[in-house]
Each structure stands twice: as C-alpha cells, then as structure tokens.
Amino acid sequence: MPLPTSSFSQQGPTCFDKMKTGFIIGFCVGMASGAVFGGFSALRYGLRGRELINNVGKTMVQGGGTFGTFMAIGTGIRC
Amino acid sequence: MSRLALLRNLVTQRQNLLPTNFARLKCAAAMHWSPHLRQEASRDGGGSLQRSQDNTQVSTDVRPIGEKIKENTKTASYTAIIIAGLGVTCVMFFAIFRELFSSESPNNIYADALRRVVEDPRVQDAIGAPIKGFGETSRRGRRQHVAHSSYERNGKPHMRMQFYVQGLRNKATVQLESRRSDSGKLEYRYLFVQLDHYPRTTIILEDNRAFDPTPEPASAGSSFGNLALMSNSRDK
C-alpha cells in the first residue's frame, strides 16, 4: 500500500532551483505583459503583418527577459 | 498573392493606364506650375511614372535569396515565440482558474477542514475559543505552507494533509485524508484533531475509513498505526 510517510519531512528545493523557477515564472509573466503592451503599441504605431509579428515577438522576449531577471534576483534574495 | 494579382492587372491595363496617367501628370504640372515636374513630363512622358511604379512593385521581390531566407526565418521564429507565449499565458490562466474554482486544490481542502475544526464545539472546548490555523513553519518564520501529499488508493486519488491549530489555551495538530466521492463531492476519509499538550486526546471529527470503496483487511489498522507513530515521532 503506498503510504507517503516521507513527504512531511521533505527537504525543499535548493536556492538555485528556486531561482530557476523564479526566472521561468518571471519570463512567463513578462511574455504575457509584453504581448499585450507591445502588441497594442505596435498596432498604434501602424505596423501590420510581418513587421507587427517581428515587433511583438521582440517585445515579448525583451519583457520576458527583464521580468525573469528581476524575478530571479528577488527569489535569490528571499531564499 | 494579392501583389501578383496587382502586377498582372497592371500589365494588362498598361495601354489604357498610360494615357490617363500622362494626362493627369500634365494636368498636375500645369496646376502647380512646377518647372521641374513639367520638364520631367515633357522629356520622357508617362513612361517614367510607369517605370517607377513597376520598380516599386517588383523591388520587394527581387532581393537576394539569402536575405529573403533570413527575413522569413526571423518572422517564423518570432511567430513561434508569440505562439509559445500565448500558450504559456493560456496555461497560466488555466492553472490559476483551476486553483481558484476547484475544491480539489490543497488550499481549498485546508480552508474547508480549518472551518470545520474551528466550528467544532469539542475542539473549542479543548483548546480555547479563538482558533487560528497555520501550516509548517518555514525558515523565515512564515507558516503558510500546509504539508500535504496526494497519492492513490485503490485507483482513486487521495490527499493527506497535516496542519496545526492554536487556540487560547492549547495547540493541536490536525490530520486528514480526503478524497473525491462517487458523487463528485469532496469527502474526508478521516479528520482528526490531536492535542499537542497534556491530555493528548484525539478528537475525531470524521472517520469514514470503514466505508472505504474496496476495503483491505490490513488497511485501517496499518494506517492507524502509522498515524500514531507519526504523531509520536513529531513531538515538539
């Protein structure tokens, strides 16, 4: 019978693991916000088609990188 | 595709496009009386306009092949990034809403069990009326994380959880196992409150282990023994 007795006294993940998770979470959030803000600003700028896609993609990667970096730093401070 | 159609249209209508354009150009030149424009129009006629239009139509298509490949790769990669980002966003929202609206999540089980424990008069008598609940103490002194683990028993998902309650006089440990019943509602396999100090009595709020779906002979005894062992080993 599988009884999870060991799970109450488990060792948490290491600091580097937490920082990686924080970076991934921040990257996701930054990507989402970059898609929204970058998409609308590019549309307002008047870009369509291929240029729009390039611009939005660039903004998403930029926002993801920024958010992920700061989220990783915050997670590293906290743990 | 549309550009190709435009080009074909242009080629077929060149004959009747030419005189009208020429006339329009001359008219414009006469209106603005721009010497440069008039000179241009008089020197080589509408051909310059026609050629320049042709050039703008064609020039996007006659780039070197390497540049085209580069551009297409860039666009494709950014498209992939956008699609991946949208997928990640959808997954995030799905996870958030599942956590918020399902009664299966550990947080909801904890909230429900804590509400039942706090409202139980026996527990209120034992540890004092204003009762608050908390999870494991983490390194930074915060006690938000509730110890839980999910497992399968007889092919059905169960969740075991342990948290602490503190009243006015005493502290206690709450042990529970929950599962989803056949009707789809959440039900407790057991829900115990064990006092941490002197009487060390166990208040049984709910014990459905006799009604396990396919009861095994050693199931109840062994889990009880395990529980007792666990509470002994975790003395504070």
Side-chain angles (χ1 to χ4, degrees), chain A residues 1 3 5 7 28 50 78, chain B residues 71-72 88 140 149 222 226:
Chain A
M1 191 168 61
L3 267 183
T5 51
S7 63
C28 294
R50 177 182 295 243
R78 192 175 172 275
Chain B
E71 188 78 11
N72 281 335
V88 163
R140 291 172 69 87
S149 61
S222 80
N226 209 335

Side-chain angles (χ1 to χ4, degrees), chain B:
Chain B
M1 183 61 81
S2 67
R3 187 180 296 158
L4 201 68
L6 204 67
L7 197 64
R8 193 182 303 143
N9 204 3
L10 201 70
V11 166
T12 54
Q13 298 203 338
R14 174 176 288 196
Q15 274 77 22
N16 50 7
L17 203 64
L18 196 61
T20 58
N21 265 342
F22 184 45
R24 195 179 299 154
L25 195 64
K26 266 179 76 173
C27 176
M31 260 203 302
H32 293 288
W33 207 247
S34 148
H36 174 70
L37 206 59
R38 202 171 55 159
Q39 195 182 6
E40 182 91 7
S42 63
R43 197 176 57 215
D44 45 17
S48 73
L49 189 67
Q50 190 59 46
R51 206 188 307 133
S52 75
Q53 264 192 358
D54 265 349
N55 279 346
T56 55
Q57 287 297 332
V58 168
S59 67
T60 49
D61 275 337
V62 291
R63 289 166 306 165
I65 187 104
E67 196 179 329
K68 247 194 280 187
I69 289 175
K70 211 165 77 180
E71 188 78 11
N72 281 335
T73 314
K74 214 168 107 182
T75 308
S77 64
Y78 279 132
T79 311
I81 284 172
I82 287 175
I83 289 173
L86 288 183
V88 163
T89 312
C90 288
V91 167
M92 265 168 58
F93 276 104
F94 178 71
I96 287 170
F97 280 103
R98 193 187 54 188
E99 185 76 16
L100 280 179
F101 291 118
S102 92
S103 58
E104 298 266 330
S105 76
N107 211 10
N108 284 326
I109 294 175
Y110 166 69
D112 188 65
L114 181 63
R115 189 179 51 79
R116 284 197 52 176
V117 167
V118 166
E119 286 176 356
D120 192 80
R122 287 170 297 169
V123 180
Q124 286 179 356
D125 278 350
I127 66 176
I131 300 173
K132 61 182 179 183
F134 49 90
E136 305 290 327
T137 307
S138 73
R139 210 182 306 169
R140 291 172 69 87
R142 311 188 56 163
R143 305 182 287 195
Q144 290 173 332
H145 181 252
V146 178
H148 64 270
S149 61
S150 49
Y151 65 99
E152 289 213 350
R153 183 199 301 273
N154 299 326
K156 300 183 79 173
H158 284 59
M159 178 167 292
R160 164 183 283 187
M161 188 178 284
Q162 166 181 329
F163 61 93
Y164 310 103
V165 287
Q166 183 172 17
L168 204 60
R169 300 187 290 275
N170 210 340
K171 286 165 78 174
T173 306
V174 181
Q175 315 264 2
L176 71 94
E177 272 185 35
S178 69
R179 65 167 170 242
R180 181 190 277 273
S181 68
D182 292 331
S183 58
K185 276 195 69 175
L186 184 89
E187 68 174 10
Y188 294 104
R189 189 160 173 267
Y190 58 78
L191 178 58
F192 296 157
V193 179
Q194 292 178 302
L195 301 187
D196 279 356
H197 295 294
Y198 161 60
R200 291 199 181 275
T201 47
T202 299
I203 302 169
I204 300 174
L205 270 70
E206 196 162 337
D207 191 359
N208 293 324
R209 285 178 299 183
F211 311 118
D212 272 352
T214 47
E216 298 170 40
S219 163
S222 80
S223 85
F224 214 129
N226 209 335
L227 194 71
L229 192 109
M230 214 166 58
S231 70
N232 278 340
S233 68
R234 203 197 34 73
D235 266 348
K236 286 192 174 176

